[in-house]
Amino acid sequence: MSRINKLFLCFMILCLSLPALANEDMISINEMEYETAANYKTVEVKKSVFDKITHSPAQVHYPVEHVIRYEGAPAQFVSFHVKRNDEIKAGDLLATFVIQRDEVQITRLNMEIFRLEEAFEKGKASRYEQMEAKDEEIALAQNAYWREIRQLEKRKLMIEMEKFVFESENAISDKKQALSDLIKTYENTNVYSEVDGVVSEIAYFRELSYVYSGTMLMKVYDPNTVLYRVDDSLNRLRYNMQVMVSVGRSDNRATGYGRVLACPMAMPGGTGSQYAYIRVDSFDKAIKMQVSPTVSFYEQYLEDVYVVERNALSLYSGKYFVYKLSDDGMVSKRYVNFAFGSQKDGALLIGGVEEGDMLIIDQ
């Protein structure tokens, strides 16, 4: 067989075997499926409420506080009879001291009183004698003229007598009061409470160390007046703003709504304390312990605004934009005005979109 005939025979065999191979290993064109649109995850633009809740740790603050001081002569400290966080009542014994009497000062005051009283009695006796002498002169006067003169002289003596008595009695009274106060300070070795409250702070003294008049011993607050103090250095709170306060242990927390009484924004020029103070009228349950207070409030709250997921926004060269998906499957790029937001709270848009727009979320 010639070479040409051999080639023709091989070609015929190949042609006869093609349908069998096609049936077993090749895919029919009619059975192929084409994707006509991309599978995007989208979000619809709707008008909604944009809110951002902030939770801040707070501190318990008692605005009504009394400072108890030692008043009296220099004394030596013995002991306190209360401790921090104790609840006390008016009249309770708080502290005890030892006071050394100054006998020299007491003796000096007693001698001054004795001399003043002695001079007072002698002065009165002398002035009574002078007035008696004037009475005799009036009785022996030769005429009405000299009688009038002696009566005027007696009236002058009586005025001087009244002045002398007034000044002497006042001087004696002042010295006696000074002596009484001095003795009282030596007898005042105990300090008692004049108010009801809870001890918040106690000074430290070594045993028999000296304390002086005006020394602060402790602070007592009124537990019936409670405020909650929160750091507001970022000026997030406003005067009379409603907030929520929770307090207590994790398994038994009490919650209540309150108002901001004072905050940095309420200060003239924004200066002053960095703290805001909050009062709660009532809680939903009794508070066993004022521990771990937390203040929660809406840092931002806007109604009827466009809010979408933060992933729908892209940023390039300082401009925010979104990809809008139309009904016919076309994707268009839209620049938007992004106000603020976060991954958690969403994004607030104030322009560039309309209600019902479908935006593609970047995954």
Side-chain angles (χ1 to χ4, degrees):
M1 184 180 293
S2 65
R3 185 175 181 183
I4 295 176
N5 291 333
K6 289 181 179 180
L7 291 174
F8 180 78
L9 181 60
C10 291
F11 177 78
M12 292 299 293
I13 295 172
L14 179 61
C15 290
L16 292 173
S17 62
L18 282 177
L21 293 174
N23 290 333
E24 294 179 2
D25 301 324
M26 300 188 68
I27 300 174
S28 172
I29 295 177
N30 297 328
E31 295 178 356
M32 294 181 62
E33 296 181 358
Y34 296 92
E35 291 187 2
T36 58
N39 184 19
Y40 296 115
K41 182 179 179 182
T42 60
V43 61
E44 183 180 356
V45 177
K46 295 181 179 180
K47 284 192 174 182
S48 180
V49 173
F50 180 87
D51 56 14
K52 180 180 179 181
I53 299 178
T54 298
H55 307 280
S56 296
Q59 299 172 331
V60 181
H61 177 70
Y62 298 96
V64 181
E65 187 176 58
H66 305 276
V67 179
I68 297 177
R69 302 180 183 276
Y70 172 78
E71 303 292 346
Q76 290 177 284
F77 171 76
V78 176
S79 65
F80 284 118
H81 298 276
V82 295
K83 61 183 182 298
R84 191 171 178 269
N85 294 327
D86 279 358
E87 185 175 352
I88 61 174
K89 299 292 184 182
D92 287 351
L93 177 62
L94 302 179
T96 300
F97 300 88
V98 173
I99 303 177
Q100 301 296 327
R101 288 167 59 97
D102 188 348
E103 297 295 342
V104 174
Q105 178 71 358
I106 293 175
T107 301
R108 184 180 66 80
L109 286 173
N110 278 322
M111 289 298 296
E112 289 178 359
I113 294 170
F114 174 76
R115 289 169 182 170
L116 287 173
E117 290 177 339
E118 187 179 42
F120 179 49
E121 295 301 327
K122 288 181 179 180
K124 284 195 300 182
S126 175
R127 285 168 173 75
Y128 280 131
E129 289 177 359
Q130 291 177 13
M131 285 188 289
E132 289 176 357
K134 287 297 175 184
D135 287 338
E136 293 179 0
E137 291 178 3
I138 292 171
L140 297 175
Q142 297 178 356
N143 53 51
Y145 172 77
W146 286 109
R147 187 178 299 108
E148 182 68 21
I149 293 295
R150 297 296 179 261
Q151 288 177 344
L152 290 174
E153 290 175 346
K154 179 183 178 182
R155 191 173 304 162
K156 179 182 177 181
L157 288 174
M158 293 176 64
I159 294 173
E160 291 177 349
M161 177 71 167
E162 291 177 357
K163 179 182 177 182
F164 171 73
V165 171
F166 176 79
E167 291 177 346
S168 298
E169 288 180 344
N170 279 345
I172 294 171
S173 176
D174 289 343
K175 290 296 180 181
K176 286 184 176 180
Q177 184 63 45
L179 177 61
S180 176
D181 292 342
L182 181 61
I183 294 175
K184 185 178 180 180
T185 59
Y186 295 140
E187 294 175 347
N188 186 26
T189 57
N190 293 325
V191 175
Y192 298 90
S193 176
E194 297 181 356
V195 297
D196 299 343
V198 177
V199 179
S200 61
E201 182 180 339
I202 294 183
Y204 171 76
F205 301 108
R206 294 180 179 225
E207 188 175 358
L208 297 182
S209 61
Y210 277 92
V211 294
Y212 301 90
S213 185
T215 301
M216 193 275 288
L217 301 179
M218 62 187 67
K219 294 181 180 180
V220 177
Y221 66 83
D222 181 2
N224 297 315
T225 305
V226 185
L227 298 179
Y228 297 93
R229 186 176 72 176
V230 61
D231 188 335
D232 190 35
S233 54
L234 298 179
N235 294 327
R236 297 172 299 182
L237 294 171
R238 301 178 301 279
Y239 175 72
N240 205 36
M241 179 180 181
Q242 187 182 53
V243 299
M244 186 178 72
V245 178
S246 61
V247 64
R249 299 192 180 278
S250 58
D251 58 344
N252 188 29
R253 290 184 71 79
T255 303
Y257 287 94
R259 296 279 179 179
V260 177
L261 298 182
C263 60
M265 287 187 67
M267 300 291 182
T271 60
S273 171
Q274 70 180 46
Y275 296 100
Y277 294 87
I278 298 160
R279 182 182 65 194
V280 180
D281 294 329
S282 62
F283 285 89
D284 58 0
K285 63 175 68 175
I287 299 176
K288 294 184 178 180
M289 295 186 68
Q290 289 280 8
V291 296
S292 304
T294 301
V295 174
S296 303
F297 57 93
Y298 285 107
E299 187 173 346
Q300 284 131 2
Y301 184 86
L302 298 170
E303 297 181 347
D304 201 26
V305 292
Y306 294 130
V307 181
V308 298
E309 292 187 27
R310 183 64 178 82
N311 287 344
L313 271 71
S314 299
L315 176 65
Y316 182 76
S317 297
K319 295 182 178 180
Y320 287 95
F321 60 91
V322 296
Y323 289 108
K324 176 186 174 184
L325 182 64
S326 60
D327 295 336
D328 59 3
M330 298 297 292
V331 177
S332 59
K333 182 178 180 180
R334 292 283 187 88
Y335 286 98
V336 295
N337 294 321
F338 170 56
F340 43 74
S342 64
Q343 196 72 26
K344 175 183 176 182
D345 304 313
L348 171 64
L349 304 182
I350 56 177
V353 294
E354 296 180 356
E355 190 172 9
D357 286 351
M358 301 300 294
L359 305 182
I360 298 174
I361 296 178
D362 183 20
Q363 300 185 60

